Amino acid sequence: MTIFNRSKNTNHPGPALRVGVIGAGHFGRFHALKALSCPREELVSIYDTDILRAGIVAKEAQCGVATSIESLIETVDAVIIATPAEHHFRMAQACLQAKRHVLVEKPIAATIPEAEALIHLADEQGCVLQVGHLLRYSSEHAAITARISRPLYIEATRIAPFKPRGTDVSVILDLMIHDLDLVLSLVDSPIAEIDALGVAVSSEHEDIANARVRFVNGCVATITASRISLKTERRMRVFSEEGYLSADFMQRELTMIGREHGLPLPGTGGYRREAVRWQDHDTLLAEHEAFAAACLDKAPILVDGRAGLRALDAALRVSASIQEAKSRMFLSGLISS
């Protein structure tokens, strides 16, 4: 394995976090390039079962190619796992058992027992376990959470045209899980029940789905996700005691009707209208910087294993509800299979 040593300009004293990347696919490449540019990370190597692909990404990211997962683990302090979801548990388990910090792409694992085992292992080994729910580091998440703390009703839509990438899992684990995690970050209450419907159109898994999530505290969220639409749309509406919020993530703009900020709305009894636009920042770099800070400085983990578990549990409950709905439809004769 070839290792490139390079110095970085950083305002932080001390050594950088030596990281390796497992997976040289679409997200693995992005993670490798981001580790290359992150001031507090030193990208050592990348591993993929496709050696040629790993070599291409390694050349671009100026790092070595590991010949095995074991050889990668031996030379790093932390590992970024960007493999298909069914491999997350096995890869993360091996890294944590070797006392290496882990940043694993979402979902944290394929099953609840696997996720719970990783959380327990990370606690036992004293390692960071961070899950790649990227929206938690975004400008849009910051804009919403700065204004809403007690949502009563949430409506989220995330639709896009079909792309072959990501169809190894359902649209729930591919797209909807982003909004599930965002909703869960806003609602401080357990899920009481979920009523969902979904259908496979262009792949073997659900390509479009809708879920109505009711929380114990009474809040309700309706979430729609599709990867077979004719256009791309990402919106969220929130009703709360603080007011009404509408966000268009594609246009990077938000409108809040409340009492605290903005221009007065005549005839509304004291309500104001606030129009906000935000600038995108490098969300993936922010995720890497947070990971490095957690590993090197023991900073709080924004999206830890338990947050990843909660999002996975919600996604799996949506999938289970869809299967229950399909069974009812089949028994009633509404569908034939």
Side-chain angles (χ1 to χ4, degrees), residues 51-313:
I51 298 176
L52 292 178
R53 174 65 184 171
I56 292 171
V57 176
K59 183 176 181 180
E60 187 179 9
Q62 302 174 33
C63 70
V65 176
T67 56
S68 67
I69 294 173
E70 292 75 18
S71 64
L72 180 144
I73 290 174
E74 287 177 0
T75 58
V76 300
D77 308 309
V79 180
I80 298 166
I81 299 171
T83 63
E86 64 263 29
H87 303 303
H88 286 182
F89 172 71
R90 180 171 62 87
M91 303 294 182
Q93 183 185 49
C95 296
L96 291 170
Q97 286 175 339
K99 294 191 175 183
R100 300 301 190 264
H101 303 297
V102 170
L103 167 55
V104 58
E105 264 299 336
K106 55 85 184 166
I108 181 175
T111 69
I112 297 301
E114 287 180 351
E116 291 174 337
L118 291 179
I119 293 167
H120 175 75
L121 184 56
D123 290 344
E124 185 178 68
Q125 298 286 66
C127 293
V128 170
L129 174 60
Q130 182 173 313
V131 186
H133 287 284
L134 198 58
L135 282 186
R136 295 284 196 102
Y137 304 91
S138 67
S139 299
E140 59 204 56
H141 180 267
I144 293 172
T145 55
R147 292 163 175 82
I148 300 293
S149 62
R150 301 186 304 278
L152 307 176
Y153 176 75
I154 304 171
E155 183 181 278
T157 301
R158 182 181 296 263
I159 62 176
F162 180 77
K163 295 179 182 178
R165 182 183 58 80
T167 54
D168 57 316
V169 296
S170 70
V171 72
I172 297 106
L173 289 175
D174 181 26
L175 297 181
M176 184 182 282
I177 196 168
H178 289 294
D179 289 315
L180 281 170
D181 179 65
L182 181 53
V183 167
L184 292 171
S185 73
L186 290 170
V187 183
D188 185 19
S189 178
I191 293 173
E193 60 181 357
I194 294 177
D195 187 14
L197 185 65
V199 63
V201 178
S202 298
S203 71
E204 296 180 357
H205 307 282
E206 287 84 12
D207 295 305
I208 185 169
N210 173 269
R212 184 176 176 86
V213 184
R214 184 178 295 278
F215 293 88
V216 171
N217 69 357
C219 178
V220 173
T222 301
I223 306 172
T224 300
S226 170
R227 58 188 180 196
I228 54 166
S229 298
L230 297 178
K231 63 178 181 178
T232 299
E233 181 179 320
R234 290 182 52 227
R235 294 179 180 271
M236 178 172 282
R237 296 192 302 158
V238 185
F239 302 92
S240 76
E241 289 193 341
E242 292 103 335
Y244 165 75
L245 181 148
S246 176
D248 185 332
F249 300 134
M250 300 300 297
Q251 296 299 320
R252 304 181 185 88
E253 60 185 22
L254 173 155
T255 300
M256 178 78 179
I257 306 297
R259 294 185 180 275
E260 298 296 326
H261 304 286
L263 299 175
L265 286 173
T268 62
Y271 280 93
R272 296 172 173 270
R273 181 181 184 275
E274 181 187 16
V276 177
R277 292 189 62 87
W278 62 80
Q279 294 293 324
D280 278 345
H281 63 263
D282 193 329
T283 310
L284 188 57
L285 179 60
E287 182 180 64
H288 275 249
E289 290 174 339
F291 182 55
C295 297
L296 296 172
D297 308 331
K298 299 187 183 301
I301 308 168
L302 180 59
V303 190
D304 62 8
R306 288 168 179 81
L309 170 62
R310 194 179 180 208
L312 174 64
D313 176 63

